[in-house]
Amino acid sequence: MSEDILHLNHLSYSTPESLLCSKKTMRTQYPIYSNRYDNCTGGEVLQIPFQDIPDCCYIDGSKSSISLKISINVPTPTNADDVYYWSTEQNTEDATYANTGATIVNLIKSAVHQLDNNDILYRENFLYMMQSIREYSQSFERKRVLTEVGGYNTDENKYNQYSVNKNTSYNIPLYLISPFWNTASLIPSRLLKNSKLSLVVNKLNESLIAYERDAFTTRDFPADASITFSEMSLNLYQTELYEQIHKSIKNKIIQFPYYSNNNDIHLLTSSSFMINIPLQASNLAYVALKFRADGGSPIESAEIKDLGELGKTQDNNYLPIKIQARINGMIFPTFPINDSVQAYIESINALQTISYPNAQNVDQLKIENKLLGSTISYYQFCNSQIEPLGPLPVYNLVSGYSSGGVIFAIDLQKSNNVSLSGVEVNASRILTIEIEGLDNYDNLTLFSQVRYMNVATIDNDKIVIMK
């Protein structure tokens, strides 16, 4: 009957051929032979080798991960004030630290991925400190997933807590280590074969929060506390191509573009200053700045009110500082950022350029945020609160509060509508950041992140990394 209807309407039908090039995809676990590191106190190096990876496979970096167990070791507590629990960040009733981005990646100071030919694929310094930037480019769904690594629970408004002297299992997605893995493009296994990822352990008292036996009162970690990493394994999602397709590209030159971060720390000596960042890269995507107040949580950003005096104006969205970037004779943006609203908009435009919540820059046309990325609202970036001023009932409205994730970012792309359109630089030119009015500079530390593009060229067994 259906064929008769097709004939009467002069229609034809045939089953379409599949355009898929992948034969199968599988999750393969590679045990790490040196998979136990006892009593680490900071500075130890965890080695993650990429061995025995078949040449025919391509790797889905957004789904690959590292499995491991972590034990925070404290000598057997004997006094009532000894630590009994720990967390990746402080828990408060008002969600003060909701957007710090804390996870157990707090325990990783830096990451270096070295190829078989000793070239550096990527290097991520101050990895523990730059997690806050992720809050601007991920969705709430992805943030809930990251509770598997001790992240913020968006439903219960707190971080998970764990016991000391006991193993706890975690799964660290590789995209938390480097933007190299934050891609929807399959990564050629030839690029990673026989490479080695080295993770440097951070100091315990700079990474986690310790609690007394009431699980509420915070305290410093004991001086003899340590960390043990065990049962580590590398989990790779590998896609095998059909044989004919694999043969057709096996001996061809493959170019794989990816992003890397240049993270740095800057010691502040005055309220107005310039930061010069020398870079050589194909293009720059953005520059992001994070101020951290002395003391407090491991990675919380300084609140806007911590940067300087807010009483100079009645504007509750006032920003104490002015920020601007210069490179190649161009100014970004063309006017100084001098209010919190504009700072928030610039940060969102620079960092919220994804189309899906578990990968970055997957949309070649940069169609912005199909799934509404970013977990930070303007209220979490900057809000005002009423505080008592002297004896009641006198009150004062104080501006510049945040939820621990204030990032000042500037977009360096020439056009948001064209992929890979960042500013080109070379070794003789530098990126300059100009900051004015940082009155509280002597109580702050500044971290910067510049995202730039690399291109890995794979020619048979030869690999060249071009910036």
Side-chain angles (χ1 to χ4, degrees):
M1 180 64 182
S2 59
E3 292 182 358
D4 294 337
I5 295 176
L6 291 173
H7 178 72
L8 289 174
N9 289 278
H10 304 286
L11 299 174
S12 62
Y13 176 81
S14 60
T15 303
E17 295 182 3
S18 173
L19 298 178
L20 294 177
C21 62
S22 59
K23 182 179 180 180
K24 62 180 179 180
T25 298
M26 54 189 174
R27 179 179 183 270
T28 305
Q29 187 174 74
Y30 295 90
I32 299 172
Y33 300 114
S34 299
N35 67 352
R36 186 177 182 90
Y37 296 83
D38 289 306
N39 303 319
C40 300
T41 58
E44 294 83 0
V45 180
L46 312 182
Q47 303 284 3
I48 315 292
F50 286 70
Q51 296 177 339
D52 304 322
I53 302 175
D55 291 338
C56 62
C57 292
Y58 287 74
I59 296 170
D60 187 342
S62 67
K63 294 181 180 179
S64 300
S65 62
I66 298 172
S67 298
L68 75 166
K69 289 187 177 182
I70 291 176
S71 174
I72 304 301
N73 310 315
V74 178
T76 305
T78 56
N79 300 319
D81 61 347
D82 280 338
V83 61
Y84 268 73
Y85 306 99
W86 64 273
S87 181
T88 59
E89 185 57 280
Q90 295 186 43
N91 288 315
T92 57
E93 295 181 358
D94 58 358
T96 302
Y97 306 98
N99 295 120
T100 61
T103 65
I104 61 166
V105 178
N106 292 12
L107 293 167
I108 303 175
K109 185 174 184 178
S110 61
V112 179
H113 201 141
Q114 191 173 26
L115 299 179
D116 190 32
N117 62 4
N118 294 325
D119 283 352
I120 301 300
L121 185 62
Y122 57 82
R123 184 192 304 272
E124 297 283 333
N125 295 325
F126 305 104
L127 193 61
Y128 66 104
M129 187 59 62
M130 310 313 290
Q131 293 186 85
S132 306
I133 295 177
R134 186 181 64 249
E135 295 287 290
Y136 290 80
S137 60
Q138 69 180 359
S139 68
F140 282 106
E141 290 78 10
R142 179 53 48 178
K143 185 168 184 172
R144 292 187 180 99
V145 169
L146 293 184
T147 57
E148 69 179 356
V149 283
Y152 183 76
N153 190 325
T154 54
D155 293 326
E156 298 182 4
N157 295 333
K158 69 175 191 177
Y159 290 86
N160 203 354
Q161 293 174 319
Y162 309 95
S163 299
V164 301
N165 300 325
K166 292 184 179 180
N167 274 329
T168 304
S169 300
Y170 296 97
N171 188 78
I172 304 177
L174 288 178
Y175 61 76
L176 294 185
I177 304 297
S178 170
F180 171 82
W181 304 98
N182 279 346
T183 176
S185 301
L186 295 177
I187 303 170
S189 60
R190 284 187 287 167
L191 178 60
L192 297 172
K193 189 173 183 179
N194 296 326
S195 65
K196 179 176 62 179
L197 173 60
S198 301
L199 305 178
V200 179
V201 179
N202 198 30
K203 294 180 180 179
L204 194 64
N205 59 1
E206 296 178 358
S207 304
L208 305 176
I209 298 294
Y211 292 92
E212 295 180 4
R213 63 174 66 231
D214 62 4
F216 178 78
T217 306
T218 61
R219 59 151 296 167
D220 293 332
F221 271 98
D224 52 359
S226 64
I227 320 167
T228 294
F229 301 88
S230 62
E231 299 184 35
M232 301 174 64
S233 63
L234 179 65
N235 309 309
L236 298 180
Y237 273 78
Q238 299 176 169
T239 295
E240 182 180 344
L241 304 182
Y242 285 108
E243 185 176 355
Q244 293 301 320
I245 297 177
H246 174 65
K247 287 182 178 179
S248 66
I249 62 176
K250 181 178 180 180
N251 297 320
K252 293 187 177 180
I253 298 176
I254 297 176
Q255 289 187 324
F256 182 79
Y258 63 94
Y259 280 115
S260 293
N261 293 327
N262 181 81
N263 301 328
D264 208 347
I265 186 173
H266 311 276
L267 301 180
L268 307 179
T269 58
S270 66
S271 59
S272 298
F273 54 91
M274 293 189 300
I275 300 173
N276 294 322
I277 305 175
L279 283 174
Q280 181 178 0
S282 299
N283 69 68
L284 306 181
Y286 67 74
V287 57
L289 305 177
K290 176 180 178 178
F291 293 95
R292 182 184 184 275
D294 296 340
S297 83
I299 64 171
E300 177 198 11
S301 298
E303 298 181 270
I304 289 176
K305 65 182 180 62
D306 296 331
L307 304 181
E309 180 60 49
L310 287 168
K312 300 176 182 178
T313 176
Q314 297 299 317
D315 185 355
N316 293 131
N317 290 327
Y318 175 72
L319 185 66
I321 62 176
K322 294 182 180 180
I323 305 175
Q324 208 164 25
R326 298 176 183 269
I327 188 170
N328 293 9
M330 295 179 287
I331 303 175
F332 297 88
T334 54
F335 50 88
I337 300 172
N338 58 5
D339 65 71
S340 297
V341 175
Q342 188 60 43
Y344 176 75
I345 292 173
E346 291 292 333
S347 296
I348 289 294
N349 288 340
L351 302 176
Q352 189 182 351
T353 57
I354 63 171
S355 294
Y356 301 92
N358 64 336
Q360 296 181 13
N361 203 42
V362 298
D363 189 344
Q364 292 300 313
L365 295 180
K366 292 268 181 103
I367 300 172
E368 202 166 324
N369 301 308
K370 294 174 183 174
L371 295 183
L372 300 178
S374 181
T375 62
I376 297 183
S377 64
Y378 179 72
Y379 178 84
Q380 293 170 311
F381 188 87
C382 178
N383 66 80
S384 301
Q385 299 180 17
I386 297 175
E387 293 184 347
L389 181 64
L392 297 178
V394 180
Y395 296 92
N396 186 36
L397 186 64
V398 180
S399 304
Y401 282 92
S402 75
S403 56
V406 173
I407 298 294
F408 300 102
I410 298 175
D411 189 2
L412 300 178
Q413 301 277 8
K414 294 178 181 177
S415 170
N416 283 332
N417 297 318
V418 181
S419 182
L420 312 183
S421 61
V423 179
E424 294 183 358
V425 296
N426 57 44
S428 63
R429 295 175 179 174
I430 58 178
L431 170 65
T432 300
I433 310 298
E434 300 175 354
I435 298 177
E436 299 180 12
L438 190 65
D439 297 336
N440 199 24
Y441 68 90
D442 52 349
N443 295 316
L444 299 168
T445 302
L446 175 58
F447 294 85
S448 67
Q449 179 179 98
V450 179
R451 178 159 294 186
Y452 63 95
M453 174 160 287
N454 290 334
V455 178
T457 301
I458 308 169
D459 185 2
N460 291 325
D461 295 329
K462 183 180 179 181
I463 300 175
V464 178
I465 305 297
M466 296 180 293
K467 297 182 178 180

